Amino acid sequence: MQSRFADTLARAAGTCAAAGDCGCYNPVAPGTGCGGVTDRATSQELAGIEAEFHAQGCEWPIQCAAWTCDPRCVEGRCGRGP
């Protein structure tokens, strides 16, 4: 499941025309940092994998500080707000 998450994130386009085209994800796989922002379609796919992850009782691979999901579209790429 973690490899599917990482593979899905690696294939993400991460492109946008507006902030609404972007979405956030949480860290389900090692090496994906403390979560982030990508294109909305990918973030929704990642959310589904995360739901499976929690349903199976898996523990977070990394402990991160809380952060606010504030996706932005900057020059056609999804990213975090300030």
Side-chain angles (χ1 to χ4, degrees), residues 8-40:
T8 300
L9 183 56
R11 289 190 316 271
T15 57
C16 56
D21 299 333
C22 304
C24 301
Y25 61 89
N26 289 315
V28 169
T32 58
C34 285
V37 176
T38 190
D39 59 276
R40 179 158 303 282

Side-chain angles (χ1 to χ4, degrees), residues 7 11 23-24 41 47-49 59 63 74 77 79:
D7 291 345
R11 289 190 316 271
C24 301
I49 297 169
E59 293 188 26
Q63 296 300 315
V74 179
R77 302 291 304 170

Side-chain angles (χ1 to χ4, degrees), residues 2-76:
Q2 289 179 326
S3 62
R4 186 164 45 110
F5 185 95
D7 291 345
T8 300
L9 183 56
R11 289 190 316 271
T15 57
C16 56
D21 299 333
C22 304
C24 301
Y25 61 89
N26 289 315
V28 169
T32 58
C34 285
V37 176
T38 190
D39 59 276
R40 179 158 303 282
T42 302
S43 72
Q44 291 172 339
E45 188 174 351
L46 294 172
I49 297 169
E50 179 187 356
E52 292 175 37
F53 177 83
H54 291 302
Q56 291 183 12
C58 301
E59 293 188 26
W60 293 111
I62 183 173
Q63 296 300 315
C64 300
W67 62 283
T68 301
C69 177
D70 186 18
R72 304 288 172 97
C73 182
V74 179
E75 297 178 8

